[in-house]
Structure formats: C-alpha cells, structure tokens
Amino acid sequence: MHFNNEELGKLEDRYRAKLINSLSGFKSANLIGTTDGKGNHNLAIVSSVFHIGANPPLVGMIMRPHTVTRDTLENILELGEYTINQVNADIWKESHQTSARYEQLVSEFAEAGLTPEWLDGVKAPFVAESRLKYSLLLRQSQTLEINGTVLVIGEINNVLVEDDVIANDGYIDIEALETVAVSGLDSYHVTNRLGRLSYAKPDKKPDVID
Amino acid sequence: MHFNNEELGKLEDRYRAKLINSLSGFKSANLIGTTDGKGNHNLAIVSSVFHIGANPPLVGMIMRPHTVTRDTLENILELGEYTINQVNADIWKESHQTSARYEQLVSEFAEAGLTPEWLDGVKAPFVAESRLKYSLLLRQSQTLEINGTVLVIGEINNVLVEDDVIANDGYIDIEALETVAVSGLDSYHVTNRLGRLSYAKPDKKPDVID
C-alpha cells in the first residue's frame, strides 16, 4: 500500500490520527505525576517521552496544550518539578484510564486506582505501583510553531528503581520490570528480548552480549 | 535503589549512559535513509524517532552532531528529504551494524547487507527489507542549547506499508510486522500485545477492543 501526500491529506481525521501515530514505531508508556501546590494532584499517561542526553541526564516529551494533559503542563510550568513513572503490565489499564477528561480538581490517582508516593525534597508525587520512576526539574519548555505542541525538557534529579534489575554495566532490564510499550494511540505490549548487541565496529559483526 | 542528584553526577560515564538511556522506556527502532546527492548513500539506526502530530503528519528525532549520525544530519540539511524505515526482527542485527563508524564515503547499506529501494519523486533511498517506511520533507532543525543535540522535524509525504496490517480504523499492526523496540543503548525486543483499549471516559473503565 502506498499513500502519497495528497492521499494522506484526504484521510478522515480519526483514521489519519491512528495511521500516523503508528509510524514512529513503538512508544514509551509513562505516567506524569504533578501537583498544583494546593493539594491537587494530577496524573497523565504520555507516550511521547524520549531520551535527550545522559550527561546532564535529560528527558523530553511532547504535550498538546488543548488536551487532557493541559493541567499537567500547567502544573509543571508552575512548580518546576514533576515525576515520570514507567507503566508496567500490572497497571496498564489503570494508566490508560488517566487519559479520560476529568474535571480539573479531580485526582486521576484516585479515579484510576493508583497510589501517590512521596520522596523527601520532591514536590511532585510518584506512582507507588511503578517499578522505575524518577523526578525531574523543568529545564526548558518551548512551543513548536509548526503545530502548537509544547516540547518540555527536564533534568533528572532522583531515580527510584528495584535493585536486582540493574546490570553490571548500568543497563536497566526494563523487560524484567514488565514495562509496557505502546503502538498507535491505544495498543499496549509487553516484550521478548531478542538480545543485547555489542558496540558496532566497522570490521566485524556485532555479538549478542546477553 | 535510590540515586539522588549527587550520586547520578558521580557515576562513571559509560555506566551513566546505559542507566539514563534505560529511563525513558521502550524506544522506537528506525533506519534513516539519506543521500548526499552525489551517489553516496547513508543509513543510520536511530532510537529517538517520535510522533509530533497527525495533521500535518509530523515526526521528530534527536541527533547528536558529533557521532556517527553526523553524515546523516548533513545529508538531511543538504537535500531536505529523508526516509524512515522501521526495523523488524529479520534485520535487527544488520540495522545495529549501521551504527559503526564507517568512513564518510562508505555506504552503510552495503556494509550492513541491506538493500536501497527507490520511489519515483523521492530523493532519498528506502530500505527494501523494511515493511513499514515513509519519506519526509525537512520542516525544522534546531540545536537544543541545553546539550547541543539537534531536533529534526519532518513532514511525511509518502507512506509504504504492507496492505493486510492496516485495521479498519487506520491503526497499523506493527507487532504483526515484527517491528522491534529498543531499551537502553543496545537491547532489542519483539512484542506481545496485551490489548487495544477503548477511548478513556471518566465514568467507565476502558474496554479491550482487540
């Protein structure tokens, strides 16, 4: 099947949204924990979190200002701190439920059946049920003029992870944590490792190292 | 295990790179096809491709100017067009091999054992072995001052995909295509679907729709 530019433009909106959202490949599944500083907590599932750099440790995400993540974005800009919590196979349905359009003062934690967890010195709530989570300080937010979405970049200042999934070289086995991946807008997946590969060099084929 | 800000700063560089790269969750695995317009083709695996918007259809990626994707970035800026090709389970090792530091005039297609494929009117090569691929026109490139990486945004102008994996609602079953996901810097995974979930609404739990 070949869709050219003109054919893509003629697709019905919801059909195009599902088709185009499938193209980037598998996406991360994360819950963004925030608070408004007045005791109102928000939790929103986001599939657009991506790695930007390791030193300093930077993570980015794309937010849509006119969707249900609006409260989350406002909280991040207001407080300057937020948490990212990996979604795992025990909480994939609860996590999806946070994408419903709740009223502003309703806590998605309570509605979805997830538990806020606090760490001394961090203003935003973690998700107790998540097995790999971290807090970030807001470093940059920028509206992308091309479509009005907002690029949010944070620097990681605390990482919480189960001990026994960190390999000797620092790699975290997120498959062992049953972290899920997303495809399209609404499909959730667990994974089976094909293998880890050695650092690629021009004159040899990569070795499977795990 | 808890790493605070100070402890993260003291980690050995390669250890930190592997640890921090595991935090964003599962990543997409894509091959970026480019040419310099003089018959020299480049192919580079990238795990930072992400969805930005469906209308117009926009995809972003983060590139590091001083790594092996430098030629790819220069080609994109020069020609203004490139392809993104999903990596599948039949070509995961070949795809990883494109990350080796080949000389500038060496084609990663030939070295990795992958086949360039051309579509009339598109200046950049696709990967014949990829089962879901698309071409993009460069819309924006911007250096992120915070760490010197480059955000590249393209608009999709052609999509090539096998017919029988497109659902009635537009969702593409990339699991059926054996598209792989990446974790950390070097771990490759196939997937098992937990399910697709219905659009979330405040007063009901989501249904599994697939």
Side-chain angles (χ1 to χ4, degrees), chain A residues 52 64 158 171 183 196, chain B residues 2 52 64 158 171 183 186:
Chain A
I52 293 185
R64 288 166 180 70
N158 287 283
Y171 170 73
S183 67
R196 292 185 64 190
Chain B
H2 174 205
I52 294 185
R64 288 165 181 70
N158 287 283
Y171 170 73
S183 67
D186 52 29

Side-chain angles (χ1 to χ4, degrees), chain B residues 4-210:
Chain B
N4 65 24
N5 192 35
E6 191 182 350
E7 288 157 345
L8 289 172
K10 285 181 182 165
L11 295 175
E12 186 268 327
D13 275 352
R14 283 165 300 181
Y15 187 97
R16 180 176 43 231
K18 290 184 179 173
L19 186 89
I20 300 297
N21 265 282
S22 305
L23 298 183
S24 59
F26 285 102
K27 305 174 183 181
S28 55
N30 288 289
L31 290 162
I32 312 301
T34 62
T35 179
D36 66 358
K38 298 167 197 150
N40 302 305
H41 311 319
N42 268 91
L43 192 64
I45 190 167
V46 164
S47 63
S48 67
V49 168
F50 56 93
H51 175 84
I52 294 185
N55 189 16
L58 299 171
V59 165
M61 60 184 172
I62 300 289
M63 311 207 78
R64 288 165 181 70
H66 303 298
T67 63
V68 288
T69 56
R70 188 190 61 244
D71 298 345
T72 293
L73 181 57
E74 287 172 4
N75 285 348
I76 291 172
L77 298 177
E78 176 92 10
L79 252 77
E81 192 165 18
Y82 54 106
T83 71
I84 297 183
N85 307 265
Q86 289 193 1
V87 175
N88 60 56
D90 285 337
I91 55 168
W92 65 290
K93 289 184 181 176
E94 291 83 352
S95 299
H96 184 79
Q97 186 62 25
T98 65
S99 64
R101 288 184 182 269
Y102 293 108
E103 297 295 318
Q104 191 170 2
L105 297 185
V106 170
S107 167
E108 290 86 0
F109 279 100
E111 295 298 319
L114 295 167
T115 314
E117 179 181 77
W118 297 90
L119 181 69
D120 269 356
V122 175
K123 294 178 202 159
F126 293 90
V127 176
E129 291 83 356
S130 173
R131 300 169 68 182
L132 196 180
K133 45 206 166 189
Y134 42 104
S135 59
L136 307 94
L137 297 173
L138 176 66
R139 287 295 180 229
Q140 185 178 328
S141 81
Q142 173 196 348
T143 298
L144 299 176
E145 299 300 335
I146 199 162
N147 74 343
T149 55
V150 179
L151 168 63
V152 175
I153 300 177
E155 181 171 344
I156 296 165
N157 62 352
N158 287 283
V159 177
L160 295 168
V161 56
E162 295 181 8
D163 290 10
D164 52 359
V165 293
I166 307 180
N168 289 334
D169 64 356
Y171 170 73
I172 302 175
D173 186 353
I174 65 173
E175 178 166 295
L177 295 175
E178 295 192 286
T179 295
V180 303
V182 172
S183 67
L185 285 171
D186 52 29
S187 185
Y188 294 84
H189 309 254
V190 288
T191 60
N192 286 322
R193 178 173 288 105
L194 293 166
R196 292 184 65 190
L197 292 178
S198 58
Y199 191 81
K201 295 181 178 175
D203 295 325
K204 66 183 289 291
K205 294 198 170 174
D207 299 315
V208 176
I209 57 176
D210 185 30

Side-chain angles (χ1 to χ4, degrees), chain A residues 130-142:
Chain A
S130 173
R131 300 168 68 181
L132 195 179
K133 45 206 165 190
Y134 42 104
S135 59
L136 307 95
L137 297 173
L138 175 66
R139 286 296 180 228
Q140 185 178 326
S141 81
Q142 174 196 347

